[in-house]
Amino acid sequence: ERIVMPGLERNGCARLPRALSWVWLLALLVSGRASADDDGERFFLERIEPVLKSECFRCHSTSADEVQAGLLLDSQDGMLRGGDNGRAVDLDSAGNSLLLQALRHENGLEMPPDRPQLAPEVISDFTKWIELGAPNPRRQDPQVAAKLREDARRHWAFQPVRKPALPAVSDPAWAATPIDAFILSKLDERGWTPAPAAERRELIRRVTFDLTGLPPTPDEVQAFLVDCSPDAFARVVDRLLDSPQYGERWAQHWLDVVRYAETEGFEYDKHLPDAWRYRDYVIDSLNHDKPYDQFVAEQLAGDEIAPGDVESETAAIFHRLGPVRRNAGNPELAFSRNEVLTERTNVVGEAFLGLTVGCARCHDHKLEPISQQDYYRLQAYIAATQEHDIVLASADEVAALEAQSKSIRDQIAQLKEQARGQTGEAKAGLLAEIAQLELQLPPAPPTIPGIRNDFERFQPVHLLRRGLTENKGEQVGPRPLDVLTRDNEPELPVDSPRPREQLARWLTDPSHPLTARVYVNRLWQHNFGAGLVRTASDFGTHGATPSHPELLDWLAATLVENGWHSKPLHRAIVLSSTYRQSSRSPHEAEYAAADPDNALLWRFTRRRLSAEEVRDAMLAVSGRLNLKAGGPSVMIPVDPELVQLLYKPTQWQVTEDAAEHDRRSIYLIAKRNLRLPFMEVFDAPTLQTSCPDRAASIHAPQALELLNGSLANEMAGAFAERLVRETNGGDDHGAVITRAYALSLGREPTDQERELSRSFLHDQPLREFALAIFNLNDFIYVD
């Protein structure tokens, strides 16, 4: 099979005459688009730039004695960045562009100033030019680029991390940790006070879900309630951080970011053998508190750093996790190879740098100080990589498996030949024999879907005009982004033997301004519902600004000081008074009016459980949860109609051992073309691209899934059976109600809840009561 571009139909080339194949058709379309772009740039050079030079550059260019209003018009970057009044050119609404308003002398803007308007036909030319997309070959004049780069380097995220001093606060006793000092300082500026401390039952349920993704058991809740020692909560936190379930919970956050899936998506959705090993690598790394700099380096360059080491090779599966389109009939290998490298480059930028580098693939970034040259220099670090599956078996073992497989397949082929001439019972009998033999086929030897640098097949990296492989520009070598390095930093040689290790070293240098900040922000995000920077994968000039910049830098600096170990930092976060606040504040109405997003953290933000947490909680409460760790992913039964939609329905082979179906959700197979309906309805990501922040929607299908779905009803039955077992037969409704609330919500029912529950159980079976518990807001929300 060969890789092809998205959008081409399978065997499409074969259906058309050779001269009108899809490849030629696409080439014609591309050339037509290129011609249109060239016409637009020519229009700029002939009709727009002369006017800018004669009327505007004396005040709005790098050659001006004094740049007026901070506006530079001698490059596309300058226009899009704009000046004191905003962007000069609005590509989404051409008529509202400030440049046109100034030319028309509207809204107090005049260009040229103190002079009559330019001729109507000139203004018309400018309008047409902006409607064409403001094409401009002067994307980055060297002088303009240098000034913009220096301006961009002053952006907070590109500044070195410096650990700030702790601020003075109004209530030092509340500031139990340095984290609290930064939070309280911001509240003090407004004269606000934090919310009261959360009740103990709320707190243990909150921290148990946050650190393990599971509800606390009634015994764990009770032990915490009766422990009056000053370090009672700290000991709960330490137990949870040491739990193997910690890695299973926090690995899911990272898997979202790196677009983890075990299949390639698109039409075939080919399975990636043993990709689950990467998932287990992440879980184990988090459980053992692997330093983040090592974690990054192993994923980017494990095969370079320690070739042959199973753990390092497994980490490098990171590069193979993205979607890939394959088809045997398309010869456009250069285009397809570029698509693979593009996908890998983009995720490096998002996951580790927290920058939208992918927007610079076809042209200089419109909003960020990232040039197209930057993009392809970053791509050059990974350009030598090729797929290289590593067999985890000896040559003798592989040979034995192949011989066994060949023998069985030969028998199957003979039986199929015999079946062709048969009908009725004779044919059915032969088909049954074939099915039995297929079950006897040995599994493929264990593999790591890895990568290797292959410099014999290496193609130098060129800037690609409009991202098209046929429009090659200058050749580039590996080099960090301009805005994050020295102006005279040289490119690495294009054939550097270990380029990805060099990339990892740059990213994990303690002086790097982004890597630690981006990571600790993700750590904060999944404890408080939002990061200190709310655009978790966009720390650029147009991303969100941090709500507490000093705290972000304190966290980043502390991470590096701790040898990049994250558990001590995580411990400090959940032990803080900020984290231990109630989700209810006596000043709710006043504070929410001024800070509706709770960015200042004047209370704890209530959150809904993720899809995985809802499923795992139902399994745990029902007594069905299988805590087996690691190993091949599980395929659970799903609607046959969904399986039949697959290109090859035989790809979905339900795991035979039914006990495996009750394992934690992170161990269910992540298949791109068959997302589990329960997970999808509760906002699990699509697995196509990096997901830094899951949506938390509320809609009717969620209620329908919890009321009518097969999982909810099956778990309700198991929950009812557990209640019967644990309350001496279930006849004592009072005992049943108390136990049900303790298992599912970690608390006693209120008097009203107890009375309503008694009334319900008088008329309805216990299974329906259990199902009603799963549908309570308190079950799927954490205070």
Side-chain angles (χ1 to χ4, degrees):
E1 292 183 332
R2 291 180 176 179
I3 305 169
V4 302
M5 67 189 78
L8 287 184
E9 293 293 335
R10 184 166 60 93
N11 298 326
C13 296
R15 297 196 191 111
L16 294 172
R18 185 182 300 268
L20 291 178
S21 71
W22 280 110
V23 174
W24 285 104
L25 213 64
L26 184 64
L28 288 171
L29 291 171
V30 167
S31 65
R33 186 178 65 189
S35 176
D37 288 348
D38 290 341
D39 288 346
E41 291 184 358
R42 188 178 302 111
F43 184 84
F44 169 80
L45 294 172
E46 293 176 357
R47 309 287 288 275
I48 303 301
E49 189 175 48
V51 179
L52 292 174
K53 287 181 177 178
S54 64
E55 305 292 346
C56 308
F57 283 1
R58 67 173 64 93
C59 299
H60 298 290
S61 72
T62 52
S63 59
D65 294 334
E66 182 179 351
V67 177
Q68 299 297 312
L71 177 62
L72 296 171
L73 296 177
D74 49 356
S75 74
Q76 190 176 58
D77 279 350
M79 291 181 182
L80 293 174
R81 185 176 300 275
D84 297 344
N85 296 320
R87 286 187 289 173
V89 170
D90 187 340
L91 298 181
D92 296 324
S93 179
N96 292 325
S97 294
L98 293 178
L99 179 59
L100 290 182
Q101 293 181 39
L103 291 175
R104 295 191 296 251
H105 291 197
E106 296 175 350
N107 299 324
L109 300 174
E110 288 187 5
M111 196 173 81
D114 303 321
R115 290 171 55 190
Q117 286 187 24
L118 299 178
E121 56 267 25
V122 172
I123 299 175
S124 177
D125 284 345
F126 273 81
T127 303
K128 176 182 177 181
W129 171 66
I130 295 175
E131 289 173 346
L132 288 172
N136 183 352
R138 319 290 191 211
R139 292 179 177 86
Q140 277 199 333
D141 177 272
Q143 289 182 316
V144 175
K147 185 179 189 311
L148 293 176
R149 185 165 56 246
E150 288 308 310
D151 289 345
R153 283 174 177 162
R154 289 192 283 272
H155 176 58
W156 69 266
F158 303 151
Q159 294 293 305
V161 174
R162 293 185 175 87
K163 192 171 186 177
L166 300 186
V169 294
S170 60
D171 185 0
W174 187 86
T177 70
I179 290 168
D180 298 319
F182 291 105
I183 298 298
L184 187 56
S185 174
K186 287 283 188 181
L187 295 177
D188 285 346
E189 290 176 7
R190 297 195 176 206
W192 290 3
T193 56
E199 296 179 0
R200 280 197 155 205
R201 288 183 184 273
E202 291 177 343
L203 189 58
I204 190 170
R205 187 168 190 268
R206 175 191 302 173
V207 76
T208 305
F209 266 116
D210 282 355
L211 294 186
T212 70
L214 294 171
T217 67
D219 288 346
E220 290 168 346
V221 173
Q222 189 60 30
F224 179 55
L225 293 179
V226 300
D227 188 346
C228 298
S229 59
D231 63 344
F233 185 60
R235 286 191 283 110
V236 168
V237 169
D238 290 339
R239 171 177 59 81
L240 296 173
L241 288 171
D242 289 340
S243 163
Q245 282 73 56
Y246 171 81
E248 292 171 342
R249 167 61 178 158
W250 281 80
Q252 188 62 64
H253 299 315
W254 184 252
L255 297 183
D256 284 359
V257 170
V258 299
R259 85 289 189 221
Y260 171 78
E262 299 168 62
T263 63
E264 294 181 338
F266 294 110
E267 182 179 13
Y268 294 151
D269 203 27
K270 179 181 175 182
H271 284 232
L272 205 60
D274 289 7
W276 56 266
R277 295 179 186 278
Y278 176 84
R279 173 250 292 152
D280 283 1
Y281 160 81
V282 176
I283 293 172
D284 292 342
S285 296
L286 294 175
N287 275 333
H288 291 94
D289 199 16
K290 178 175 289 183
Y292 183 66
D293 58 344
Q294 181 183 348
F295 186 61
V296 171
E298 287 175 347
Q299 292 176 78
L300 288 174
D303 58 301
E304 291 181 354
I305 295 168
D309 176 73
V310 172
E311 184 174 15
S312 297
E313 298 277 11
T314 300
I317 295 174
F318 163 81
H319 294 280
R320 297 283 301 276
L321 297 176
V324 178
R325 174 73 182 252
R326 297 183 185 269
N327 190 303
N330 191 318
E332 290 295 297
L333 297 181
F335 184 96
S336 302
R337 173 64 177 163
N338 184 50
E339 290 299 301
V340 170
L341 291 178
T342 293
E343 195 278 334
R344 293 179 185 174
T345 306
N346 293 354
V347 79
V348 167
E350 292 175 75
F352 303 114
L353 285 166
L355 293 175
T356 57
V357 297
C359 297
R361 174 193 176 188
C362 301
H363 46 69
D364 293 342
H365 203 300
K366 300 297 185 185
L367 302 176
E368 300 294 344
I370 303 172
S371 67
Q372 191 182 26
Q373 192 175 43
D374 277 331
Y375 180 84
Y376 286 101
R377 282 170 165 171
L378 185 61
Q379 188 177 102
Y381 283 106
I382 62 173
T385 57
Q386 296 288 343
E387 295 178 5
H388 180 81
D389 293 346
I390 303 158
V391 178
L392 298 177
S394 68
D396 290 343
E397 290 172 327
V398 172
L401 287 171
E402 289 178 347
Q404 182 183 357
S405 179
K406 183 178 185 305
S407 174
I408 294 174
R409 291 188 185 281
D410 287 346
Q411 295 177 58
I412 291 173
Q414 292 174 9
L415 290 173
K416 285 183 175 179
E417 186 63 31
Q418 293 176 30
R420 287 178 184 171
Q422 302 293 332
T423 58
E425 292 184 5
K427 184 171 185 177
L430 290 169
L431 292 176
E433 287 187 57
I434 291 171
Q436 287 299 315
L437 284 171
E438 287 177 338
L439 293 175
Q440 297 174 28
L441 284 168
T447 59
I448 293 174
I451 58 170
R452 281 288 185 273
N453 292 330
D454 186 343
F455 289 100
E456 291 185 2
R457 299 168 61 188
F458 170 74
Q459 295 292 322
V461 174
H462 295 261
L463 268 68
L464 300 180
R465 191 178 182 198
R466 303 180 188 90
L468 302 175
T469 53
E470 61 269 30
N471 287 347
K472 289 183 179 178
E474 65 177 287
Q475 182 178 324
V476 296
R479 183 180 183 272
L481 305 185
D482 254 2
V483 74
L484 298 177
T485 194
R486 299 170 298 153
D487 287 339
N488 58 351
E489 183 76 18
E491 294 180 350
L492 291 177
V494 294
D495 57 351
S496 295
R498 299 166 73 170
R500 284 174 286 115
E501 183 181 359
Q502 298 297 320
L503 174 60
R505 286 182 179 176
W506 170 62
L507 283 170
T508 58
D509 187 303
S511 66
H512 198 290
L514 285 171
T515 308
R517 279 186 176 125
V518 169
Y519 181 64
V520 298
N521 188 66
R522 297 193 197 281
L523 196 64
W524 186 273
Q525 169 191 358
H526 297 298
N527 283 288
F528 291 97
L532 296 169
V533 179
R534 296 205 166 219
T535 50
S537 288
D538 185 2
F539 274 48
T541 60
H542 284 70
T545 56
S547 58
H548 299 77
E550 295 84 5
L551 173 57
L552 181 66
D553 273 15
W554 185 91
L555 293 169
T558 302
L559 176 72
V560 177
E561 287 176 1
N562 289 342
W564 296 85
H565 289 283
S566 57
K567 277 192 178 182
L569 202 59
H570 206 166
R571 185 179 190 272
I573 288 172
V574 296
L575 288 178
S576 68
S577 296
T578 305
Y579 180 83
R580 290 185 286 169
Q581 290 181 100
S582 170
S583 61
R584 295 168 291 278
S585 167
H587 306 287
E588 183 90 24
E590 176 190 352
Y591 294 177
D595 181 21
D597 294 328
N598 191 29
L600 296 181
L601 293 165
W602 42 271
R603 61 171 172 81
F604 188 82
T605 300
R606 195 183 199 211
R607 73 172 180 89
R608 195 193 69 190
L609 299 179
S610 67
E612 292 85 359
E613 287 175 298
V614 176
R615 179 181 176 275
D616 292 353
M618 288 196 292
L619 284 165
V621 167
S622 69
R624 286 267 300 267
L625 181 63
N626 178 354
L627 287 175
K628 175 184 173 183
S633 295
V634 178
M635 291 189 185
I636 62 175
V638 294
D639 292 339
E641 293 85 354
L642 295 177
V643 176
Q644 291 304 312
L645 292 174
L646 297 174
Y647 177 78
K648 288 185 178 180
T650 54
Q651 287 180 336
W652 195 265
Q653 296 291 331
V654 175
T655 302
E656 291 185 10
D657 184 356
E660 293 281 297
H661 302 170
D662 294 338
R663 293 182 65 193
R664 293 199 67 175
S665 301
I666 196 169
Y667 294 116
L668 303 183
I669 190 168
K671 183 171 175 62
R672 284 193 163 97
N673 284 9
L674 204 166
R675 297 170 63 203
L676 299 175
F678 184 89
M679 312 302 281
E680 185 173 7
V681 80
F682 281 99
D683 301 314
T686 65
L687 311 179
Q688 298 298 329
T689 57
S690 173
C691 175
D693 185 15
R694 291 194 187 187
S697 60
I698 301 173
H699 50 80
Q702 293 170 350
L704 294 173
E705 185 67 43
L706 287 175
L707 279 171
N708 304 323
S710 57
L711 174 66
N713 279 273
E714 182 183 353
M715 290 304 105
F719 187 19
E721 292 172 3
R722 180 181 185 180
L723 291 172
V724 170
R725 289 195 308 270
E726 297 183 4
T727 59
N728 296 320
D731 294 330
D732 182 347
H733 286 177
V736 167
I737 294 164
T738 298
R739 186 62 175 166
Y741 273 77
L743 287 168
S744 60
L745 306 180
R747 63 173 176 83
E748 293 275 338
T750 64
D751 291 343
Q752 183 183 25
E753 288 170 336
R754 192 180 295 278
E755 186 59 34
L756 286 171
S757 297
R758 284 183 183 278
S759 176
F760 187 93
L761 283 170
H762 180 74
D763 300 320
Q764 300 293 333
L766 183 55
R767 179 190 162 281
E768 291 299 316
F769 173 70
L771 185 63
I773 291 287
F774 289 158
N775 280 267
L776 292 175
N777 277 346
D778 281 5
F779 183 77
I780 60 172
Y781 282 87
V782 174
D783 279 316

